[in-house]
Amino acid sequence: MLTALRAFAGTWFAKVLFILLIASFGAWGIADMLRSMGTDTAVARVDGQTVEFTEAQDAARRELQRLVRITEGRLQPDARVRTAVAQQAVESLVNDRVLSREIGRMHVAVPDAAAREYVFGIPAFQGTDGRFSRIQFDSFLSGNGLTEGQFLELLRRDLARQQIVNAVRAGAAAPSFLAERLLAWQREQRSVRLVELRVADAPEPEAPTDAQLERFHENNADRFSAPEYRQVALGLLNAAILTPQMQVTDAELEEAYAAHRARFETPEKREIQQALFQDEAAARAFAATWRANNEGAAAAAEAAHGIFSDLGEVERSGLPVPELATTAFSLADNAVSDPVQTPFGWHVLRAHITQAAETRSLDQVRDELRTEVASEKAADEALRRTNAVQDGLAGGESVEETSRAHNLQYVAVELDAQGKGRDGRDVALPIPSTARAALLREIFGTERGAAPHLAEGDYGFAAIEVKEVTPAALRPLAEVRDAVLRAYVQDARRRHQEGRAAALIAATRAGKSLEEAAREADIPVEEQGPFPREAGATNPIPREYLGPIFELRMNEVTMIPSPVAFAVVQLTGVTHPAVQPPAAPAEGEEAPADPLATIKRETDTAIAEDIEAQFMAAIRARADVRINQRLLNQLAAE
């Protein structure tokens, strides 16, 4: 979209339009408003307290990095993902401001001792000895782009928030009888008397007369009509078309390689273990012992009053202390270092090389870079051409003339809204298959008689000119006679089975039992159940029947249509299996879950979440919250 706006802004038509707009603004005397536009840097405000764009930008970046980490790089941050992340980041910051306002109003405080105790209790910050590890803590800060002060400020806010939220959620509990009723509903089983009349089992109807077939054809026009077809001229311009045309010089490849060299460098990785001592002599003695015998290092370090920790596989940048990084990555494979002093004490390191450093040369990545540079040049070339195309179309040129003048790929096709021709086959379009739907929406969203225009989407750029529209129309009977005959026969069979099912319902309402009515009609009756409400391989009842069956009252009869049959069902039994307390686990085994306790816990949590959501909505409604949509859109576009 931004590319299209830039392209449009470069046309003579746009320039004339901008001049007229500027003149009109001046005439209305709002130059002062124009001067003030763009000066607001707050993406949101809560009672005048701002959420600055840079803060929202940082929050969105951290959230995106977190998502990429937890998906192990599989997440592709496209426009939709970035928009969702930006909105979530801003909403989170707004809610944080709202809660901060409430925290201040209620004078909630977090003592230093409480914050310190909480940090020391976080498992991720503990070493192998179960005690707080400064190195683990610094590594966490580095990996999340936080300073210690920022982290502690976030922690204090979170602890204060927890005090309020926990107070709101406290006491949120479902009554025992509610949990019991919910469990009974969940585990309820039913038995039915079932008559199933399959459409395929209906007798062959009499051959229809020509008059019957014509009437069926006209009454079901939507089933036998040709769709709307459009004859359209397209001038297409996209990366797949332009990239092969771009020439890339060796100098441009060398420049691109230098600019993106870090991409082609694989950093060295090492598995690092360390022992930390407060005394240099103890550290040296341990280093000698460790070199002599690698077994039992953790126990030996603890016996020497040190702290042993396994830092795992890290890159050089993953070690927050420069002295440790220099020492660890200068060691030979599996070697033990001399003691290294840092503000934390004396460190003894052992490093095992798991991945050697590697740099791919320009020759190795030449083809990859050539494609990238060509794609970048193609984007610039597309922008240059679209400016000219806009001018040409605005000047009255047809798409064919503009395509010929500016070397667009021209195609003239006739198709329906599904992209199919009159022969029912997909019409070939020189765009990726994933972009077909977007281009078809653009074509069929164009008004009849509209002037040719340039559109932008997943397909790249497309100059579109709708030349002729053939409205949807009922196909002649002679053309679709076979299809009409098949549909007539199928419809007759459905009507036959529906009539039999309706007769059974009428007989039961007249006082007969379903079993008696079915026997008189020579239709077999099945006894099914008890079965649960969830569909599955062990449930004999089709999925589409379960909903209506579990809404029936005792002995009630109903008819259930499906695509392949009509079912007449009578409820004959409702059972509630007894909830047995979980059996005592065998020695060494985990105790099985108690279903009643589980549903009670889930219901308690749901009620607490509802109360919290209502509380947040209430305090947010009490605050003056304003979102700057322009800056939010800008944040999502980055």
Side-chain angles (χ1 to χ4, degrees), residues 311-480:
L311 304 183
E313 186 180 60
V314 296
E315 300 175 9
R316 181 184 290 268
S317 59
L319 291 172
V321 182
E323 297 91 339
L324 296 180
T326 300
T327 301
F329 280 82
S330 63
L331 288 172
D333 191 29
N334 291 318
V336 175
S337 73
D338 289 330
V340 180
Q341 187 177 22
T342 74
F344 306 111
W346 292 89
H347 304 254
V348 179
L349 306 176
R350 180 179 179 273
H352 168 55
I353 300 173
T354 57
Q355 177 179 286
E358 181 186 3
T359 300
R360 289 190 289 165
S361 67
L362 174 58
D363 287 339
Q364 290 174 306
V365 299
R366 188 176 296 274
D367 292 341
E368 178 183 343
L369 274 179
R370 189 182 302 279
T371 301
E372 292 181 6
V373 174
S375 297
E376 292 173 2
K377 296 181 74 172
D380 293 338
E381 176 64 14
L383 180 60
R384 185 190 68 78
R385 292 192 194 180
T386 53
N387 285 334
V389 169
Q390 288 274 22
D391 286 338
L393 294 178
E397 289 181 354
S398 68
V399 167
E400 185 176 6
E401 292 169 336
T402 296
S403 299
R404 191 166 50 248
H406 304 294
N407 199 23
L408 275 63
Q409 186 165 353
Y410 176 77
V411 292
V413 294
E414 184 182 38
L415 39 65
D416 65 12
Q418 305 303 315
K420 297 183 182 298
R422 292 184 183 271
D423 60 358
R425 298 179 179 178
D426 286 338
V427 174
L429 295 172
I431 58 174
S433 59
T434 54
R436 282 179 66 91
L439 181 57
L440 290 171
R441 282 195 300 271
E442 187 67 36
I443 291 171
F444 280 82
T446 301
E447 296 289 337
R448 299 182 185 184
H453 68 284
L454 186 68
E456 182 189 3
D458 295 341
Y459 44 80
F461 294 95
I464 300 174
E465 180 181 0
V466 177
K467 290 182 169 291
E468 186 176 334
V469 176
T470 303
L474 181 64
R475 289 189 172 101
L477 177 59
E479 183 181 321
V480 293

Side-chain angles (χ1 to χ4, degrees), residues 245-274:
Q245 303 173 17
M246 299 296 104
Q247 299 298 318
V248 180
T249 66
D250 288 342
E252 288 172 327
L253 288 177
E254 291 170 1
E255 182 180 350
Y257 180 76
H260 301 93
R261 186 182 179 89
R263 281 175 42 201
F264 310 118
E265 294 178 343
T266 302
E268 180 182 350
K269 290 184 179 180
R270 296 187 169 202
E271 286 182 354
I272 299 174
Q273 296 173 316
Q274 76 154 4

